[in-house]
Amino acid sequence: MDRIRIRGGKILNGDIQISGAKNAALPLMIASLLTGKTLTLRNVPRLADVNLLLRILRNHGVDMTVDGKRAGEDGSLGETIHLSAATIADTTAPYELVSRMRASFWVLGPLLARCGEAKVSLPGGCAIGTRPVDLHLMALEQLGGKIDIEAGYVVAKAPNGLKGNRVVFPKVSVGATHNALMASTLAKGETIIENAAQEPEIGDVAACLVKMGAKISGIGSSTLHVEGVDELKGADHSVLADRIETGTYAMAAAITGGEVTLKGARADHLDSMIAALRQAGVRIDVTQSAMRISRNGNRLYPINIETMPYPGFPTDLQAQMMALMTMADGVSTIRETIFENRFMHVQELARLGAEISLSGDTAHVKGVHKLTGAQVMATDLRASVSLVIAALAAEGETVLHRVYHLDRGFERLEAKLQGCGASVERLAAA
Ligand code: EPZ
C-alpha cells in the first residue's frame, strides 16, 4: 500500500485550485438513473469514490464516456462525464459494491422511482459509527414503497409508481434527504420534505434535478416541495466547489502560517468554519471566487466548537480543526454530535505529540508548542487528512500509512500542497 511522507515545518505560500465536491458529485452521478437521456457532469473530481460509483452505475446499465483533455486545460478542473441510463438493465446493487461505499445506497430511491423496484444491499456499519438507514426507508415507505429486508438486502417495490406525500424527518440526514428528493421527482403528485438537510451539496443536486425538468421549490431551506413529473430529461451541470476540501487547505495554511489563496472556493458555504478560524486568530479575506488564508507569526487562540448539520460546523471538518487546535495557545473543546465514533484521529495525533483527552462526545485539546513527526495510520478520509495537517507543522518526518483513505476524497493532494511549498511525497508500495 502507498504511503505519504511529509517533512514538516515548511510555511505554505501559493494558490490551490479547489476541486468539485465529492459529496455533490456522487449523488449527481446517481441522479443519472432517473432519466433515459444523457446527464453531463463537469468538474467531477478524480477520486477513488467516483471510480467506484461509476462501476456501480455501469452494473445498473448506465453508459458512460469521459472527455479527454482539451486544448488549454491543465487537468486542474476535474473531468467531464456523460452518463446515460437509456435502459436500467439490473435493479440490484450488490453487497460487494455497496459495502465499499455507503453513498452507493442512495441508488435505492432513484431505481425504485424509475423502475418500480430495487434491491440494494444494506451498507453496514463503518469506521465512524453505526450509520443506520432507517430514515431512508421511512421516507421511501411514505412515498408508497413497500420495503422488506431479505438476507442483508433492502427489497423495495412500487409496481404502480411512487406517490407524493408529506415526509417529515425526525432527524436531519444528508443521505436520506438525497434519496427522498430524487425519488419524489418521479412520484405522482406533490411531496413535501420537512426537516430536510440543507447542505449545499443537496442544493447542487436539486439545481441539477431542476435542469432535468424536476419541479422543486424551497431549495436551500429545510422544507422542500416537489411536484412529481412523468419523466426527466438530460442536463448539463457543473459540480460545485468542495467546501470540505476548501476548509481542509484553510487549516493546513493556518497551522503552518504563510498565505494561501484557495481558488474557486465558495466562502458562502463555510460561514461557521470561517467564524471559528477568525476566532482562532487566522486572517481570511474573501473575494467572489477565492478565499485567502493568512497567518503571519501570530499566535493561534483556542476555540470551542460543536459539529452540527449545515449551516453548523461540519463534522467533515472536525478532525482537521482538531489538528489545528493541537498547536493553539490553550485548551480547545470539540464536541462531535453527528457520528458517535469520529475521534479515531485522536490517538494518531497523540503519536505526533498532541495532548488530547476524550470524554464521551467531547475532546479537550491542550495546545502544545511543538509536534514531532512519527509513523501514523489513516483510519478514514477526514481523519487521515487531519494527520497530514498536523504533519505539515510537525518537526521532522511523518509517514502516513493506508493512504487509500485519502485517495477516496482528495484530488491531487500531494501536488496541491507541493505547489505551496510543502514537502509531501508519495512512496509507492514496495
Ligand atoms: C453524508 O453522509 C456525507 N457523505 C458524510 O461525509 C457526512 O459526514 C455526513 O453526511 C454528515 O454531514 C456523503 O455526502 C457522501 P447522514 P450520510 O445521513 O448521508 C444518522 C465524508 O467524509 N442517520 O447525514 O451518511 C447517522 O447515523 C463523509 O465525506 C440515522 O440515524 O450522513 C448520523 O448520526 C463521511 N438514520 C446522522 O444521522 C438514517 O437513516 C447524520 O448522517 C440515516 C442517518
Side-chain angles (χ1 to χ4, degrees):
M1 275 185 264
D2 286 2
R3 292 155 296 152
I4 282 184
R5 179 168 63 202
I6 298 175
R7 296 200 172 93
K10 300 262 194 317
I11 286 171
L12 296 187
N13 279 302
D15 294 350
I16 293 178
Q17 176 67 48
I18 297 303
S19 295
K22 167 181 84 82
N23 289 351
L26 299 177
L28 284 165
M29 290 161 65
I30 289 173
S32 68
L33 291 170
L34 289 164
T35 175
K37 300 290 178 331
T38 302
L39 176 63
T40 295
L41 296 174
R42 299 176 193 276
N43 198 29
V44 178
R46 296 170 179 83
L47 298 172
D49 272 10
V50 165
N51 289 335
L52 180 57
L53 183 57
L54 288 175
R55 267 182 66 191
I56 292 167
L57 293 177
R58 261 201 297 269
N59 187 56
H60 293 303
V62 179
D63 293 333
M64 48 196 67
T65 55
V66 182
D67 284 359
K69 191 172 176 171
R70 298 287 184 266
E73 274 181 9
D74 61 1
S76 68
L77 281 180
E79 291 187 311
T80 297
I81 300 184
H82 309 273
L83 300 166
S84 181
T87 43
I88 302 289
D90 191 340
T91 53
T92 299
Y95 173 77
E96 302 74 62
L97 296 174
V98 178
S99 59
R100 293 173 57 190
M101 184 179 54
R102 278 190 64 85
S104 55
F105 184 74
W106 305 351
V107 300
L108 180 65
L111 287 175
L112 179 63
R114 177 153 168 215
C115 308
E117 59 168 44
K119 183 176 171 190
V120 179
S121 170
L122 284 164
C126 77
I128 62 178
T130 48
R131 303 184 78 182
V133 292
D134 54 320
L135 300 173
H136 299 244
L137 304 187
M138 177 211 85
L140 295 175
E141 276 178 334
Q142 282 174 356
L143 295 175
K146 188 180 163 301
I147 311 269
D148 289 302
I149 308 289
E150 290 170 13
Y153 278 78
V154 174
V155 179
K157 294 209 167 80
N160 301 315
L162 294 174
K163 283 197 190 64
N165 197 357
R166 194 162 157 250
V167 176
V168 184
F169 285 117
K171 174 176 183 174
V172 177
S173 160
V174 171
T177 303
H178 278 306
N179 237 328
L181 177 64
M182 288 195 271
S184 63
T185 59
L186 291 179
K188 287 189 192 76
E190 191 189 16
T191 297
I192 302 174
I193 305 173
E194 291 179 33
N195 202 22
Q198 298 172 66
E199 269 65 5
E201 294 75 22
I202 290 172
D204 201 38
V205 172
C208 177
L209 291 169
V210 168
K211 288 182 195 164
M212 293 165 72
K215 295 192 177 145
I216 306 170
S217 60
I219 296 173
S221 79
S222 62
T223 305
L224 295 166
H225 289 258
V226 186
E227 186 63 47
V229 294
D230 289 340
E231 56 179 26
L232 293 176
K233 53 185 190 210
D236 188 319
H237 186 81
S238 183
V239 180
L240 96 167
D242 195 319
R243 66 196 164 98
I244 305 303
E245 189 198 27
T246 306
T248 300
Y249 290 122
M251 292 191 218
I255 202 167
T256 65
E259 193 172 295
V260 172
T261 299
L262 304 173
K263 288 164 63 185
R266 287 285 301 264
D268 55 327
H269 292 159
L270 281 161
D271 286 349
S272 59
M273 183 212 71
I274 291 174
L277 281 185
R278 284 187 173 144
Q279 213 188 330
V282 179
R283 180 166 171 176
I284 302 184
D285 298 297
V286 174
T287 65
Q288 219 182 3
S289 59
M291 265 168 77
R292 192 170 63 237
I293 315 298
S294 39
R295 188 167 75 85
N296 292 311
N298 53 316
R299 61 191 276 226
L300 274 173
Y301 297 92
I303 57 159
N304 300 325
I305 54 158
E306 238 179 60
T307 61
M308 284 287 168
Y310 189 84
F313 192 92
T315 173
D316 290 348
L317 284 173
Q318 177 259 109
Q320 299 90 315
M321 183 53 103
M322 190 179 295
L324 178 62
M325 286 300 105
T326 62
M327 298 287 283
D329 222 346
V331 179
S332 302
T333 305
I334 298 181
R335 184 162 170 248
E336 172 58 55
T337 75
I338 309 288
F339 292 110
E340 71 268 26
N341 189 26
R342 211 174 197 184
F343 279 139
M344 275 102 50
H345 41 286
V346 167
Q347 278 191 336
E348 298 301 301
L349 286 170
R351 294 176 57 77
L352 299 172
E355 289 189 20
I356 305 168
S357 63
L358 280 181
S359 143
D361 63 3
T362 303
H364 298 280
V365 187
K366 184 162 176 272
V368 293
H369 293 299
K370 75 166 191 172
L371 297 172
T372 312
Q375 308 259 340
V376 288
M377 185 85 82
T379 47
D380 74 72
L381 173 58
R382 311 303 175 186
S384 336
V385 87
S386 78
L387 299 171
V388 171
I389 291 173
L392 289 171
E395 272 179 21
E397 186 176 295
T398 295
V399 176
L400 176 66
H401 297 260
R402 298 201 181 159
V403 166
Y404 59 85
H405 287 293
L406 276 180
D407 294 335
R408 294 187 57 185
F410 288 93
E411 188 179 31
R412 300 187 309 115
L413 175 105
E414 304 101 278
K416 289 186 183 193
L417 288 171
Q418 282 159 3
C420 292
S423 168
V424 180
E425 68 183 312
R426 187 175 288 247
L427 309 173

